[in-house]
């Protein structure tokens, strides 16, 4: 049955209140909601069961190209359609993409519970102090591309469900399960308690990534660009490095994650 | 001999004209100049001989932390110092970093000439249709990290000396030699004529990157995210892929470049 589209003609329509002034709302929180943006991201939202959606808002000229995604939207989720001008006025800035949805956050699972239900062979990304939403999104994108089973963050990491992080992740933040632990130390402890080898990635790491023998349960621990991982963690965990030019040993943290995950991932055998 | 710092107190001072309204100038061109921004980038500018500088402009509170870079600035290059408010007014927006230089573009070397002077073992990055300055900057950063000897671009690529591209490259755009060819086809022809194996990177590539046997002279050819490389090029060149999850085969082009370069690079033996 085709989804009924609901025409919105009034900026003050209470049904589209959640879309109003999107940028400002990113800063003040959204009470259990998040904003998904763009066709690719909505495709992930509605093709995985991880998060429910509250509503969808489309610019009218985008509707024809969205039919295969609209077909996947559950019937109880309203799909609103507005003109380009009205959509820009609602969002508070030019919404070139014209494809938005409000998602509903689920209760965050404790890190222990998430790790406990992963298979005996699993690859996890662990993050300490990643505060940049672009980096967070890119890390999720790379985690999804290389089959990571989960992302575990320390308490200082930024929100992967921030609008820009979701967009940069091309939807991976809505796909790869994540959980939050306490300090970076506590995250490493939790991983080890769940039988994970925790590899701390650092330019000063002892072993080159190509020489690492990974355990069936393996976690790659990344710190923020610049400060990197705390010295205490680096000294107590096995540490790995990506060999680089001595006079230009500089990689973006998400790029470093991609290279290490590419090395650590074991593609499923057919 | 310590460099003499020249105090600027007047927004209309003609000596700092090149710094005025930096954002707008990026759009209209700068007549053989480029803007370098940030301490790390200036460090690269003044520690490599690739580009000359015309002048430097520092926010007064940044001077103490810049002494080791100031010591490297040639004596004929004036170093201007301004208050924070004046610097913001000059640039036309808040210049949080407070570290700027105007560099001078050199005559662009033809691609053939650049390739001809590379050693018999060389790694080159070839780009077709990279139009995003963030991606361009990130590709240069990764090229520098993995010892690429040069970047060769087709005529549709954007400018690596655009302010944001230089910043994202953390200075690598000022360090790795680059040249521009004609069409993507012409770039591939030029590389092959210079004895380069040209590996076309694509999600549909025939060989996995980890199985590639690289030739001493090796070029990695990358197309734009989305459209990718033209089919005609992919069918006539050896093509390589980065194995990924079948249901999320999506990497940023600069990230894909990093993974492939990490695989293709031969670190110098000590």
């Amino acid at each position: 049955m085709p989804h009924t589209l609901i025409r919105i003609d009034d900026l003050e329509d209470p049904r589209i209140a959640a879309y109003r002034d999107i940028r400002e709302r990113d800063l003040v929180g959204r009470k259990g909601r998040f904003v998904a943006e763009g066709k690719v991201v909505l495709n992930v939202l509605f093709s995985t069961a991880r998060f429910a959606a509250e509503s969808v808002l489309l610019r009218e000229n985008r509707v024809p190209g969205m039919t295969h995604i609209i077909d996947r939207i559950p019937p109880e989720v309203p799909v609103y359609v507005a003109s380009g001008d009205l959509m820009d006025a609602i969002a508070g800035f030019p919404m070139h993409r014209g494809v938005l949805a409000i998602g509903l956050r689920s209760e965050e699972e404790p890190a222990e519970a998430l790790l406990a239900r992963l298979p005996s062979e699993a690859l996890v990304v662990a993050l300490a102090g990643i505060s940049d939403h672009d980096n967070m999104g890119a890390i999720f994108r790379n985690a999804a591309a290389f089959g990571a089973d989960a992302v575990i963050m320390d308490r200082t990491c930024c929100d992967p469900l921030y609008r820009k992080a979701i967009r940069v992740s091309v939807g991976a933040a809505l796909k790869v399960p994540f959980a939050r632990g306490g300090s970076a130390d506590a995250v490493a402890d939790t991983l080890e308690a769940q039988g994970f080898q925790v590899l701390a990635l650092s330019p000063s790491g002892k072993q080159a990534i190509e020489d690492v023998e990974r355990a069936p349960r393996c976690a790659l621990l990344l710190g923020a660009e610049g400060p990197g991982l705390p010295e205490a963690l680096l000294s107590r965990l096995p540490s790995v490095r990506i060999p680089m030019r001595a006079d230009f040993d500089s990689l973006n943290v998400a790029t470093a994650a991609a290279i290490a995950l590419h090395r650590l991932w074991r593609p499923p055998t057919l």
Side-chain angles (χ1 to χ4, degrees), chain A:
Chain A
M1 199 187 68
H3 213 291
T4 311
L5 306 181
I6 301 158
R7 178 92 203 171
I8 300 289
D9 290 306
D10 177 6
L11 181 59
E12 301 304 324
D13 194 317
R15 292 175 294 181
I16 47 85
Y19 296 93
R20 233 173 259 141
D21 301 323
I22 275 186
R23 272 193 186 151
E24 281 63 40
R25 278 169 189 247
D26 273 340
L27 304 173
V28 297
R30 323 185 133 261
K31 294 183 183 149
R33 291 175 175 80
F34 61 86
V35 178
E37 192 181 2
K39 187 174 170 179
V40 176
V41 169
L42 259 68
N43 190 40
V44 176
L45 177 63
F46 291 112
S47 57
T48 63
R50 190 159 149 62
F51 293 102
E54 189 176 69
S55 69
V56 172
L57 174 60
L58 302 176
R59 179 187 285 250
E60 55 191 350
N61 65 354
R62 295 301 307 273
V63 171
M66 293 283 295
T67 48
H68 70 285
I69 295 173
I70 294 171
D71 287 347
R72 285 204 187 134
I73 299 175
E76 70 276 14
V77 178
V79 179
Y80 304 117
V81 176
S83 70
D85 287 349
L86 186 60
M87 196 148 177
D88 292 352
I90 294 167
F93 68 105
M95 282 299 315
H96 302 295
R97 290 160 183 249
V99 175
L100 290 169
I102 301 293
L104 297 168
R105 288 167 190 265
S106 45
E107 188 89 19
E108 270 194 28
E109 193 177 12
E112 296 77 3
L114 171 53
L115 294 172
R117 66 180 173 83
L118 295 183
S120 58
E121 173 154 333
L123 181 59
V124 164
V125 177
L127 303 176
I130 304 294
S131 57
D132 177 280
H133 289 107
D134 286 83
N135 285 339
M136 182 60 82
I139 289 168
F140 268 83
R141 180 178 185 178
N142 298 338
F146 294 113
D149 298 281
V151 175
I152 308 294
M153 298 172 288
D154 79 347
R155 64 178 163 227
T156 69
C157 284
C158 66
D159 181 9
L161 296 184
Y162 188 88
R163 183 171 59 95
K164 196 175 184 196
I166 296 175
R167 194 179 66 212
V168 172
S169 82
V170 294
L174 306 180
K175 183 179 162 70
V176 181
F178 60 83
R180 214 175 268 274
S183 66
D185 265 298
V187 165
D189 289 345
T190 305
L191 284 160
E192 290 186 324
Q194 293 289 337
F196 279 81
Q197 169 198 38
V198 183
L199 301 172
L201 188 66
S202 164
S204 65
K206 290 198 186 69
Q207 205 174 18
I209 186 72
E210 51 264 44
D211 300 328
V212 167
E213 191 128 353
R214 73 158 267 197
R217 293 197 132 196
C218 175
L220 178 71
L221 175 61
L222 303 159
E225 248 175 292
L229 290 167
E231 205 48 58
L233 260 181
L234 274 176
S235 59
R236 83 169 166 95
L237 293 172
S239 61
V240 294
R241 70 176 184 282
I242 296 169
M244 275 176 268
R245 278 273 299 233
D247 63 348
F248 204 92
D249 60 338
S250 165
L251 282 181
N252 167 270
V253 61
T255 305
I259 292 171
L261 291 170
H262 161 75
R263 286 282 184 178
L264 296 171
W265 182 45
R266 292 178 185 158
T269 45
L270 300 177

mmCIF file of all heavy atoms in Angstrom, chain A residues 50-51 105-118 149-153 161 175-182 187 190 194:
data_model
loop_
_atom_site.group_PDB
_atom_site.id
_atom_site.type_symbol
_atom_site.label_atom_id
_atom_site.label_comp_id
_atom_site.label_asym_id
_atom_site.label_seq_id
_atom_site.Cartn_x
_atom_site.Cartn_y
_atom_site.Cartn_z
ATOM 1 N N ARG A 50 17.334 -0.620 13.986
ATOM 2 C CA ARG A 50 17.971 -0.136 15.207
ATOM 3 C C ARG A 50 17.222 1.030 15.854
ATOM 4 O O ARG A 50 17.086 1.075 17.077
ATOM 5 C CB ARG A 50 19.406 0.269 14.872
ATOM 6 C CG ARG A 50 20.242 0.548 16.076
ATOM 7 C CD ARG A 50 21.718 0.458 15.791
ATOM 8 N NE ARG A 50 22.455 1.369 16.638
ATOM 9 C CZ ARG A 50 22.501 1.323 17.958
ATOM 10 N NH1 ARG A 50 21.831 0.402 18.609
ATOM 11 N NH2 ARG A 50 23.187 2.200 18.646
ATOM 12 N N PHE A 51 16.753 1.985 15.068
ATOM 13 C CA PHE A 51 16.042 3.139 15.633
ATOM 14 C C PHE A 51 14.683 3.304 14.979
ATOM 15 O O PHE A 51 14.538 3.075 13.775
ATOM 16 C CB PHE A 51 16.853 4.431 15.425
ATOM 17 C CG PHE A 51 18.119 4.477 16.204
ATOM 18 C CD1 PHE A 51 19.346 4.223 15.593
ATOM 19 C CD2 PHE A 51 18.092 4.759 17.570
ATOM 20 C CE1 PHE A 51 20.521 4.259 16.327
ATOM 21 C CE2 PHE A 51 19.268 4.803 18.305
ATOM 22 C CZ PHE A 51 20.482 4.544 17.681
ATOM 23 N N ARG A 105 15.719 8.209 19.837
ATOM 24 C CA ARG A 105 16.807 7.493 20.498
ATOM 25 C C ARG A 105 16.242 6.347 21.307
ATOM 26 O O ARG A 105 15.175 6.478 21.900
ATOM 27 C CB ARG A 105 17.539 8.425 21.473
ATOM 28 C CG ARG A 105 18.385 9.459 20.779
ATOM 29 C CD ARG A 105 18.809 10.518 21.770
ATOM 30 N NE ARG A 105 19.408 11.631 21.071
ATOM 31 C CZ ARG A 105 20.736 11.768 20.893
ATOM 32 N NH1 ARG A 105 21.567 10.903 21.414
ATOM 33 N NH2 ARG A 105 21.208 12.793 20.224
ATOM 34 N N SER A 106 16.946 5.255 21.342
ATOM 35 C CA SER A 106 16.537 4.166 22.230
ATOM 36 C C SER A 106 17.354 4.287 23.515
ATOM 37 O O SER A 106 18.344 5.011 23.583
ATOM 38 C CB SER A 106 16.781 2.827 21.549
ATOM 39 O OG SER A 106 18.043 2.814 20.934
ATOM 40 N N GLU A 107 16.919 3.600 24.534
ATOM 41 C CA GLU A 107 17.673 3.539 25.795
ATOM 42 C C GLU A 107 19.072 3.025 25.475
ATOM 43 O O GLU A 107 19.221 2.040 24.761
ATOM 44 C CB GLU A 107 16.957 2.558 26.736
ATOM 45 C CG GLU A 107 17.500 2.516 28.141
ATOM 46 C CD GLU A 107 16.802 3.554 29.036
ATOM 47 O OE1 GLU A 107 15.692 4.015 28.675
ATOM 48 O OE2 GLU A 107 17.381 3.882 30.080
ATOM 49 N N GLU A 108 20.117 3.712 25.968
ATOM 50 C CA GLU A 108 21.472 3.232 25.668
ATOM 51 C C GLU A 108 21.796 1.999 26.502
ATOM 52 O O GLU A 108 21.677 2.000 27.713
ATOM 53 C CB GLU A 108 22.504 4.344 25.898
ATOM 54 C CG GLU A 108 22.731 5.176 24.635
ATOM 55 C CD GLU A 108 23.983 6.064 24.696
ATOM 56 O OE1 GLU A 108 24.941 5.711 25.408
ATOM 57 O OE2 GLU A 108 23.992 7.112 24.024
ATOM 58 N N GLU A 109 22.211 0.974 25.812
ATOM 59 C CA GLU A 109 22.572 -0.282 26.450
ATOM 60 C C GLU A 109 23.911 -0.101 27.181
ATOM 61 O O GLU A 109 24.799 0.576 26.672
ATOM 62 C CB GLU A 109 22.731 -1.298 25.311
ATOM 63 C CG GLU A 109 22.812 -2.729 25.707
ATOM 64 C CD GLU A 109 22.887 -3.630 24.454
ATOM 65 O OE1 GLU A 109 23.107 -3.111 23.342
ATOM 66 O OE2 GLU A 109 22.719 -4.835 24.607
ATOM 67 N N PRO A 110 24.087 -0.689 28.359
ATOM 68 C CA PRO A 110 25.411 -0.605 28.998
ATOM 69 C C PRO A 110 26.456 -1.319 28.132
ATOM 70 O O PRO A 110 26.132 -2.311 27.457
ATOM 71 C CB PRO A 110 25.216 -1.345 30.331
ATOM 72 C CG PRO A 110 23.749 -1.443 30.532
ATOM 73 C CD PRO A 110 23.126 -1.432 29.174
ATOM 74 N N ALA A 111 27.700 -0.818 28.153
ATOM 75 C CA ALA A 111 28.757 -1.397 27.320
ATOM 76 C C ALA A 111 28.927 -2.892 27.588
ATOM 77 O O ALA A 111 29.094 -3.676 26.652
ATOM 78 C CB ALA A 111 30.073 -0.646 27.568
ATOM 79 N N GLU A 112 28.866 -3.290 28.851
ATOM 80 C CA GLU A 112 29.037 -4.706 29.195
ATOM 81 C C GLU A 112 28.017 -5.572 28.476
ATOM 82 O O GLU A 112 28.342 -6.638 27.946
ATOM 83 C CB GLU A 112 28.872 -4.956 30.713
ATOM 84 C CG GLU A 112 29.889 -4.305 31.607
ATOM 85 C CD GLU A 112 29.640 -2.810 31.805
ATOM 86 O OE1 GLU A 112 28.617 -2.304 31.283
ATOM 87 O OE2 GLU A 112 30.465 -2.150 32.449
ATOM 88 N N ALA A 113 26.765 -5.132 28.500
ATOM 89 C CA ALA A 113 25.688 -5.933 27.908
ATOM 90 C C ALA A 113 25.869 -6.043 26.396
ATOM 91 O O ALA A 113 25.699 -7.123 25.814
ATOM 92 C CB ALA A 113 24.337 -5.298 28.239
ATOM 93 N N LEU A 114 26.238 -4.918 25.773
ATOM 94 C CA LEU A 114 26.450 -4.940 24.323
ATOM 95 C C LEU A 114 27.588 -5.892 23.966
ATOM 96 O O LEU A 114 27.465 -6.738 23.065
ATOM 97 C CB LEU A 114 26.742 -3.517 23.822
ATOM 98 C CG LEU A 114 27.195 -3.356 22.369
ATOM 99 C CD1 LEU A 114 26.238 -4.037 21.403
ATOM 100 C CD2 LEU A 114 27.319 -1.882 22.016
ATOM 101 N N LEU A 115 28.711 -5.780 24.686
ATOM 102 C CA LEU A 115 29.868 -6.637 24.386
ATOM 103 C C LEU A 115 29.547 -8.107 24.641
ATOM 104 O O LEU A 115 29.966 -8.985 23.882
ATOM 105 C CB LEU A 115 31.079 -6.205 25.227
ATOM 106 C CG LEU A 115 31.634 -4.815 24.894
ATOM 107 C CD1 LEU A 115 32.689 -4.407 25.915
ATOM 108 C CD2 LEU A 115 32.220 -4.790 23.481
ATOM 109 N N ALA A 116 28.786 -8.364 25.696
ATOM 110 C CA ALA A 116 28.495 -9.751 26.075
ATOM 111 C C ALA A 116 27.698 -10.469 24.987
ATOM 112 O O ALA A 116 27.834 -11.684 24.812
ATOM 113 C CB ALA A 116 27.742 -9.788 27.402
ATOM 114 N N ARG A 117 26.877 -9.741 24.264
ATOM 115 C CA ARG A 117 26.060 -10.426 23.262
ATOM 116 C C ARG A 117 26.721 -10.491 21.876
ATOM 117 O O ARG A 117 26.123 -10.979 20.907
ATOM 118 C CB ARG A 117 24.658 -9.790 23.172
ATOM 119 C CG ARG A 117 24.607 -8.377 22.658
ATOM 120 C CD ARG A 117 23.164 -7.865 22.608
ATOM 121 N NE ARG A 117 23.118 -6.460 22.273
ATOM 122 C CZ ARG A 117 23.184 -5.978 21.021
ATOM 123 N NH1 ARG A 117 23.287 -6.796 20.006
ATOM 124 N NH2 ARG A 117 23.127 -4.672 20.808
ATOM 125 N N LEU A 118 27.954 -9.989 21.746
ATOM 126 C CA LEU A 118 28.660 -10.113 20.462
ATOM 127 C C LEU A 118 29.177 -11.541 20.302
ATOM 128 O O LEU A 118 29.384 -12.250 21.284
ATOM 129 C CB LEU A 118 29.828 -9.123 20.397
ATOM 130 C CG LEU A 118 29.468 -7.633 20.404
ATOM 131 C CD1 LEU A 118 30.726 -6.789 20.256
ATOM 132 C CD2 LEU A 118 28.466 -7.287 19.306
ATOM 133 N N ASP A 149 31.694 -4.718 14.807
ATOM 134 C CA ASP A 149 30.441 -5.166 15.419
ATOM 135 C C ASP A 149 29.863 -4.147 16.383
ATOM 136 O O ASP A 149 28.671 -4.208 16.695
ATOM 137 C CB ASP A 149 30.686 -6.492 16.156
ATOM 138 C CG ASP A 149 31.126 -7.582 15.199
ATOM 139 O OD1 ASP A 149 30.251 -8.138 14.515
ATOM 140 O OD2 ASP A 149 32.342 -7.839 15.099
ATOM 141 N N ALA A 150 30.695 -3.240 16.898
ATOM 142 C CA ALA A 150 30.204 -2.247 17.852
ATOM 143 C C ALA A 150 31.240 -1.150 18.020
ATOM 144 O O ALA A 150 32.421 -1.327 17.696
ATOM 145 C CB ALA A 150 29.911 -2.889 19.202
ATOM 146 N N VAL A 151 30.780 -0.003 18.527
ATOM 147 C CA VAL A 151 31.666 1.097 18.917
ATOM 148 C C VAL A 151 31.411 1.362 20.402
ATOM 149 O O VAL A 151 30.266 1.536 20.822
ATOM 150 C CB VAL A 151 31.390 2.376 18.093
ATOM 151 C CG1 VAL A 151 32.231 3.539 18.604
ATOM 152 C CG2 VAL A 151 31.645 2.126 16.614
ATOM 153 N N ILE A 152 32.485 1.359 21.195
ATOM 154 C CA ILE A 152 32.370 1.650 22.628
ATOM 155 C C ILE A 152 33.103 2.959 22.893
ATOM 156 O O ILE A 152 34.260 3.112 22.503
ATOM 157 C CB ILE A 152 33.003 0.522 23.489
ATOM 158 C CG1 ILE A 152 32.441 -0.849 23.097
ATOM 159 C CG2 ILE A 152 32.804 0.805 24.975
ATOM 160 C CD1 ILE A 152 30.978 -1.059 23.391
ATOM 161 N N MET A 153 32.425 3.904 23.536
ATOM 162 C CA MET A 153 33.008 5.240 23.746
ATOM 163 C C MET A 153 33.228 5.526 25.223
ATOM 164 O O MET A 153 32.423 5.096 26.059
ATOM 165 C CB MET A 153 32.047 6.296 23.191
ATOM 166 C CG MET A 153 31.822 6.171 21.700
ATOM 167 S SD MET A 153 30.521 7.292 21.132
ATOM 168 C CE MET A 153 29.095 6.478 21.824
ATOM 169 N N LEU A 161 24.906 10.672 17.483
ATOM 170 C CA LEU A 161 23.595 10.960 16.895
ATOM 171 C C LEU A 161 23.371 12.463 16.679
ATOM 172 O O LEU A 161 22.257 12.908 16.439
ATOM 173 C CB LEU A 161 22.468 10.354 17.743
ATOM 174 C CG LEU A 161 22.489 8.822 17.821
ATOM 175 C CD1 LEU A 161 21.283 8.319 18.591
ATOM 176 C CD2 LEU A 161 22.528 8.188 16.433
ATOM 177 N N LYS A 175 23.490 2.448 12.337
ATOM 178 C CA LYS A 175 23.584 1.037 11.974
ATOM 179 C C LYS A 175 24.484 0.255 12.936
ATOM 180 O O LYS A 175 24.113 -0.817 13.412
ATOM 181 C CB LYS A 175 24.140 0.947 10.541
ATOM 182 C CG LYS A 175 24.239 -0.429 9.967
ATOM 183 C CD LYS A 175 24.783 -0.324 8.532
ATOM 184 C CE LYS A 175 25.311 -1.649 8.034
ATOM 185 N NZ LYS A 175 24.267 -2.628 7.794
ATOM 186 N N VAL A 176 25.676 0.793 13.189
ATOM 187 C CA VAL A 176 26.625 0.085 14.057
ATOM 188 C C VAL A 176 26.221 0.313 15.512
ATOM 189 O O VAL A 176 26.144 1.462 15.956
ATOM 190 C CB VAL A 176 28.068 0.594 13.818
ATOM 191 C CG1 VAL A 176 29.043 -0.154 14.702
ATOM 192 C CG2 VAL A 176 28.456 0.471 12.350
ATOM 193 N N PRO A 177 25.960 -0.738 16.275
ATOM 194 C CA PRO A 177 25.582 -0.557 17.683
ATOM 195 C C PRO A 177 26.689 0.158 18.463
ATOM 196 O O PRO A 177 27.873 -0.083 18.217
ATOM 197 C CB PRO A 177 25.423 -1.991 18.195
ATOM 198 C CG PRO A 177 25.286 -2.846 16.985
ATOM 199 C CD PRO A 177 26.034 -2.154 15.889
ATOM 200 N N PHE A 178 26.288 1.032 19.373
ATOM 201 C CA PHE A 178 27.300 1.702 20.201
ATOM 202 C C PHE A 178 26.834 1.767 21.643
ATOM 203 O O PHE A 178 25.634 1.652 21.931
ATOM 204 C CB PHE A 178 27.637 3.093 19.669
ATOM 205 C CG PHE A 178 26.482 4.058 19.613
ATOM 206 C CD1 PHE A 178 26.093 4.769 20.744
ATOM 207 C CD2 PHE A 178 25.785 4.255 18.435
ATOM 208 C CE1 PHE A 178 25.031 5.671 20.690
ATOM 209 C CE2 PHE A 178 24.725 5.150 18.371
ATOM 210 C CZ PHE A 178 24.341 5.855 19.504
ATOM 211 N N ALA A 179 27.806 1.938 22.537
ATOM 212 C CA ALA A 179 27.498 2.092 23.957
ATOM 213 C C ALA A 179 28.570 2.963 24.565
ATOM 214 O O ALA A 179 29.642 3.162 23.992
ATOM 215 C CB ALA A 179 27.456 0.734 24.641
ATOM 216 N N ARG A 180 28.275 3.505 25.746
ATOM 217 C CA ARG A 180 29.180 4.430 26.397
ATOM 218 C C ARG A 180 29.636 3.838 27.722
ATOM 219 O O ARG A 180 28.816 3.310 28.481
ATOM 220 C CB ARG A 180 28.448 5.739 26.659
ATOM 221 C CG ARG A 180 29.288 6.956 26.557
ATOM 222 C CD ARG A 180 28.437 8.180 26.717
ATOM 223 N NE ARG A 180 27.939 8.699 25.455
ATOM 224 C CZ ARG A 180 28.622 9.550 24.676
ATOM 225 N NH1 ARG A 180 29.808 9.977 25.044
ATOM 226 N NH2 ARG A 180 28.116 9.984 23.550
ATOM 227 N N GLY A 181 30.940 3.876 27.962
ATOM 228 C CA GLY A 181 31.460 3.438 29.255
ATOM 229 C C GLY A 181 31.811 4.652 30.094
ATOM 230 O O GLY A 181 31.328 5.748 29.840
ATOM 231 N N GLY A 182 32.658 4.491 31.103
ATOM 232 C CA GLY A 182 33.055 5.621 31.933
ATOM 233 C C GLY A 182 34.329 6.257 31.394
ATOM 234 O O GLY A 182 34.336 6.793 30.287
ATOM 235 N N VAL A 187 36.741 1.778 30.076
ATOM 236 C CA VAL A 187 36.373 1.152 28.801
ATOM 237 C C VAL A 187 37.335 0.001 28.490
ATOM 238 O O VAL A 187 36.910 -1.098 28.110
ATOM 239 C CB VAL A 187 36.371 2.201 27.661
ATOM 240 C CG1 VAL A 187 36.349 1.539 26.292
ATOM 241 C CG2 VAL A 187 35.178 3.142 27.812
ATOM 242 N N THR A 190 36.569 -2.920 30.798
ATOM 243 C CA THR A 190 35.349 -3.618 30.400
ATOM 244 C C THR A 190 35.617 -4.528 29.208
ATOM 245 O O THR A 190 35.147 -5.678 29.162
ATOM 246 C CB THR A 190 34.252 -2.590 30.041
ATOM 247 O OG1 THR A 190 34.068 -1.710 31.149
ATOM 248 C CG2 THR A 190 32.943 -3.271 29.701
ATOM 249 N N GLN A 194 35.584 -8.734 29.042
ATOM 250 C CA GLN A 194 34.744 -9.478 28.090
ATOM 251 C C GLN A 194 35.597 -10.279 27.091
ATOM 252 O O GLN A 194 35.095 -10.725 26.055
ATOM 253 C CB GLN A 194 33.833 -8.506 27.326
ATOM 254 C CG GLN A 194 32.785 -7.824 28.179
ATOM 255 C CD GLN A 194 31.677 -8.793 28.624
ATOM 256 O OE1 GLN A 194 31.443 -9.827 28.008
ATOM 257 N NE2 GLN A 194 31.015 -8.449 29.722
#
